[in-house]
Amino acid sequence: MGEETAVGMWYFAAVAMAAAVLAVVVDAVVRRAHAWWWTASLGAGRRARLPPGDMAEICMANGRFGRTGLYRAFMFSSPTILVTIPEACKQVLMDDEAFILGWPKSTVTLIGAKSFIAIPHEEHRRLRKLTAAPINGLDALTAYLGFIDHTVVSTLQALSTREEEVEFLTELRRMTFRIIVQIFMSGADDRTVEALERCYTDLNYGLRAMAINLPGFAYHRALKACKKMVELLQHVLDQRRAATAKGFPRPSVDMMDRLIKVEDEHGRRLEDDAIIDMLVMYLNAGHESSGHITMWATVFMQENPDILAKAKAEQEEIMRNIPPTQKGLSLKDFRKMEYLSQVIDETVRFMSINFVTFRQATRDVFVNGYLIPKGWKVQLWFRSVHTDPQIHPHPNKFNPSRWEGPPPRAGTFLAFGLGPRLCPGNDLAKLEISVFLHHFLLGYKLTRANPSCRLRYLPHVRPVDNCLAKITKISSHGY
């Protein structure tokens, strides 16, 4: 290395360090200014009722202030109350009048202003009623099961024939994306599906990134991906409308068809931007979480032979009771997967894939004895609830048997939300995951290349190598 090169590298390193220090100082000053402004504006009486916390810092919650359950901080450019205990989470989630949705503007920009994360309560209830049966209803799940089953079987067979190791998580995300696209946009050509998949990858990296709209940053790439997705979905919508105008029949009705045709009590139909925002949200939520949960459930079972053996025995028993004339799994078989359901719930608790959600107070509200001022943001930290040893003994131990017995107390398990905004696709997601684990347990083995691989935590917890592994077929099973 030449002397000039070394000096140049040292210079740029020094500049970068100075810029980083300056950014930290400016951030601290801004936080303290905001802390003073927002708390001073409340007045002494209201200020005294606030939860503990330091709005000039990112609060460390239980570890610093004790188990009060509510803590104040300044996050996403807003005064914020962090909620970390079941009773308080339940109160906030069940009260849609006092607590409206309060997602960061950057997230709403990416997912859409007319999606479920942004629309008012009444509109949410109307659209949820519209979409619930086509997604989670008995007839819908029965109709989707055959395609899910076929897709899982073909995916596992293809992966097991690959000579090289594969990124298990990447392949699962591709599989779940194909499934959700078939459900919401059946008949989409391969080119459109591949383009949408690329866009969703960039979108997800930007959802929980800093909202810096400059080249090279994840949020900038996510904005570009969002624009491309809207163009792709608009193109499909235009094709559907043109085909309908010409009287061409649809071979099957999917979610896009239903959203195009739906009318309210006044005969008004959804605008294209509302349909597109709904599809962006559902297509994203419908494959990201499912793919990650499936990967972690597979990994945890392989790491715990006793759990693996118990789950496999249940699936073998289900297989023995399937009639010879039955092709593939039925919804009745799915309902029998009780222990596998516990494995999935424990995976969701253990990893807390969706670790936080956002609300905003519409008026002064008292929660657990503390004031949440009108206009302040509220963050509900599901991960804190799911890893609280007072709620879940030995929370760092993967133990599906903790879910035996009666359902958990409301607010102690928040994987799919709670109350009026419960995830509308929770049954479909669990069906997808269960079908994959059923086939995997009966016939395949996962051998990771880097079992101790370090983790990346945003946008979802995952190994940095995306679970690089070899999929081996160890037995054959049939119906």
Side-chain angles (χ1 to χ4, degrees):
M1 179 184 293
E3 182 178 336
E4 290 185 3
T5 302
V7 171
M9 291 180 65
W10 175 88
Y11 172 78
F12 283 114
V15 170
M17 181 175 293
V21 171
L22 179 61
V24 170
V25 172
V26 170
D27 180 71
V29 171
V30 170
R31 283 182 179 276
R32 292 199 176 277
H34 277 297
W36 174 84
W37 169 259
W38 283 102
T39 55
S41 64
L42 294 175
R46 295 166 75 209
R47 188 164 59 243
R49 305 298 299 274
L50 288 173
D54 186 347
M55 292 173 65
E57 301 177 12
I58 295 178
C59 175
M60 297 307 291
N62 294 11
R64 181 174 172 189
F65 296 105
R67 188 184 169 82
T68 63
L70 276 77
Y71 313 89
R72 72 179 186 267
F74 191 84
M75 301 180 72
F76 294 98
S77 304
S78 300
T80 301
I81 302 297
L82 311 182
V83 181
T84 65
I85 59 173
E87 296 78 10
C89 285
K90 179 184 175 183
Q91 180 178 340
V92 173
L93 290 172
M94 295 296 288
D95 191 345
D96 261 348
E97 292 185 2
F99 298 100
I100 59 174
L101 292 171
W103 287 83
K105 291 181 180 179
S106 57
T107 304
V108 174
T109 299
L110 293 176
I111 297 297
K114 295 188 177 181
S115 68
F116 276 176
I117 71 165
I119 57 178
H121 174 57
E122 290 302 319
E123 184 68 3
H124 178 277
R125 185 165 59 181
R126 185 175 75 89
L127 289 178
R128 181 184 173 86
K129 183 178 180 181
L130 164 71
T131 58
I135 297 174
N136 268 352
L138 179 64
D139 292 341
L141 294 178
T142 301
Y144 304 149
L145 180 53
F147 179 77
I148 294 172
D149 198 36
H150 171 76
T151 304
V152 166
V153 170
S154 60
T155 297
L156 279 168
Q157 288 177 344
L159 292 178
S160 66
T161 60
R162 298 264 289 269
E163 294 287 337
E164 73 282 7
E165 294 169 329
V166 300
E167 290 185 358
F168 187 46
L169 175 58
T170 302
E171 298 299 333
L172 288 174
R173 290 179 69 253
R174 286 174 179 162
M175 180 193 75
T176 55
F177 191 74
R178 288 198 301 274
I179 291 170
I180 205 69
V181 168
Q182 173 66 21
I183 291 171
F184 287 88
M185 295 169 51
S186 61
D189 59 81
D190 291 343
R191 184 178 178 182
T192 298
V193 174
E194 290 171 4
L196 282 170
E197 186 183 353
R198 288 194 297 270
C199 289
Y200 273 104
T201 298
D202 286 340
L203 176 74
N204 270 286
Y205 281 107
L207 279 176
R208 293 185 175 122
M210 294 182 66
I212 302 175
N213 188 14
L214 293 173
F217 287 87
Y219 185 70
H220 179 77
R221 289 193 298 272
L223 286 173
K224 292 175 66 176
C226 185
K227 181 180 179 181
K228 178 65 174 177
M229 275 191 295
V230 170
E231 292 173 354
L232 288 167
L233 293 172
Q234 185 66 62
H235 178 66
V236 177
L237 266 175
D238 292 342
Q239 287 182 321
R240 294 281 179 95
R241 294 191 188 280
T244 301
K246 293 178 181 178
F248 295 152
R250 288 276 302 153
S252 61
V253 178
D254 56 24
M255 180 55 69
M256 179 176 278
D257 293 321
R258 291 183 173 93
L259 292 174
I260 290 172
K261 295 176 181 178
V262 67
E263 296 181 353
D264 63 16
E265 62 274 16
H266 303 294
R268 295 172 301 187
R269 294 191 173 184
L270 293 174
E271 299 290 337
D272 282 4
D273 58 347
I275 295 174
I276 289 171
D277 283 355
M278 201 64 59
L279 289 169
V280 168
M281 182 205 68
Y282 267 123
L283 288 172
N284 180 63
H287 84 282
E288 271 296 320
S289 296
S290 298
H292 283 76
I293 295 168
T294 303
M295 178 204 70
W296 282 118
T298 305
V299 168
F300 291 149
M301 284 193 291
Q302 292 249 181
E303 291 177 348
N304 295 273
D306 55 332
I307 295 173
L308 180 72
K310 188 173 180 178
K312 183 175 182 178
E314 179 184 68
Q315 302 311 305
E316 290 172 337
E317 178 65 20
I318 290 172
M319 285 291 295
R320 283 193 289 270
N321 289 286
I322 292 179
T325 56
Q326 180 176 312
K327 300 294 183 181
L329 286 169
S330 70
L331 211 55
K332 182 180 178 181
D333 301 324
F334 166 62
R335 303 293 188 201
K336 294 178 181 177
M337 299 179 185
E338 295 181 3
Y339 185 68
L340 195 60
S341 177
Q342 294 171 17
V343 169
I344 295 170
D345 285 348
E346 178 67 352
T347 302
V348 174
R349 181 203 68 81
F350 197 76
M351 299 310 299
S352 291
I353 301 297
N354 299 315
F355 64 90
V356 65
T357 194
F358 299 82
R359 295 292 188 268
Q360 181 174 337
T362 61
R363 54 181 171 81
D364 281 5
V365 187
F366 283 92
V367 176
N368 200 34
Y370 292 105
L371 170 68
I372 299 181
K374 178 182 177 179
W376 282 36
K377 300 287 187 177
V378 180
Q379 290 184 21
L380 298 107
W381 280 76
F382 298 165
R383 182 170 290 163
S384 294
V385 174
H386 292 166
T387 57
D388 189 332
Q390 295 189 27
I391 304 166
H392 307 285
H394 308 291
N396 295 323
K397 177 178 174 58
F398 186 78
N399 177 23
S401 296
R402 74 173 74 242
W403 301 105
E404 293 175 353
R409 179 166 50 91
T412 61
F413 184 56
L414 300 164
F416 299 105
L418 186 70
R421 291 185 183 268
L422 186 70
C423 174
N426 57 330
D427 286 345
L428 174 59
K430 206 159 189 179
L431 179 65
E432 275 187 271
I433 299 164
S434 299
V435 172
F436 181 91
L437 296 178
H438 165 82
H439 289 289
F440 184 88
L441 285 164
L442 292 175
Y444 295 88
K445 178 183 178 182
L446 179 80
T447 306
R448 294 184 64 184
N450 309 299
S452 301
C453 182
R454 66 184 179 88
L455 302 180
R456 182 173 292 155
Y457 289 89
L458 291 175
H460 301 292
V461 182
R462 68 196 188 284
V464 295
D465 67 352
N466 288 321
C467 197
L468 189 67
K470 185 78 174 68
I471 312 299
T472 307
K473 189 168 186 177
I474 56 177
S475 66
S476 298
H477 67 280
Y479 298 94

